[in-house]
Amino acid sequence: MGILSIILQVLLGLGFLMFGFMKLGSKQIVEGFKHYGYPGWFRIFTGIVELISAALVIAGIWYETLAAGGGLLIAATMIGAISTHIKIKDTFKEMMMPIILLILGLVILVINFGSLLV
């Protein structure tokens, strides 16, 4: 594993810790999920998935297989986020953050993919 992967894992791990905890109670996020048409349990579920993703990419600094799994989970979550933005007819600009996070999650997955084959 290279330094690029470690840097991305730390950044995404910290970011997804923040995103995940915000999903558990931020008034702005609660309102956002209502706007998207999603029930409260789905917001909680999404937050838990983001916290698990964060834990996996951070633990993946020492265990590459976990980094690959975390990258995959981040990518899947961001595909869902992008789909939501498309569903509510957001602009491309409003989709940029999930698109960037999708790409970064895929980069972590690709860098650490070899560990899944062992």
Side-chain angles (χ1 to χ4, degrees):
M1 175 179 11
I3 190 75
L4 173 62
S5 185
I6 292 171
I7 291 169
L8 289 177
Q9 286 167 238
V10 169
L11 292 174
L12 282 177
L14 293 174
F16 273 79
L17 281 173
M18 181 186 70
F19 302 148
F21 282 122
M22 287 176 64
K23 299 262 184 336
L24 301 180
S26 162
K27 185 175 179 177
Q28 181 181 2
I29 300 293
V30 170
E31 292 304 315
F33 269 68
K34 285 181 186 175
H35 173 72
Y36 302 147
Y38 293 133
W41 68 264
F42 187 70
R43 174 183 48 82
I44 300 296
F45 173 77
T46 303
I48 291 169
V49 168
E50 290 178 350
L51 291 171
I52 291 168
S53 300
L56 289 172
V57 295
I58 290 170
I61 293 169
W62 298 278
Y63 303 101
E64 293 176 7
T65 303
L66 296 178
L72 179 62
L73 200 52
I74 287 171
T77 304
M78 291 304 101
I79 289 170
I82 294 164
S83 299
T84 296
H85 285 287
I86 291 169
K87 176 184 120 179
I88 65 168
K89 298 179 176 27
D90 268 346
T91 65
F92 183 74
K93 180 181 177 186
E94 292 166 317
M95 292 184 229
M96 282 308 298
M97 182 58 79
I99 290 170
I100 291 167
L101 294 171
L102 167 65
I103 293 167
L104 295 176
L106 290 173
V107 168
I108 289 175
L109 173 61
V110 169
I111 289 172
N112 294 285
F113 187 75
S115 66
L116 292 175
L117 303 176
V118 176

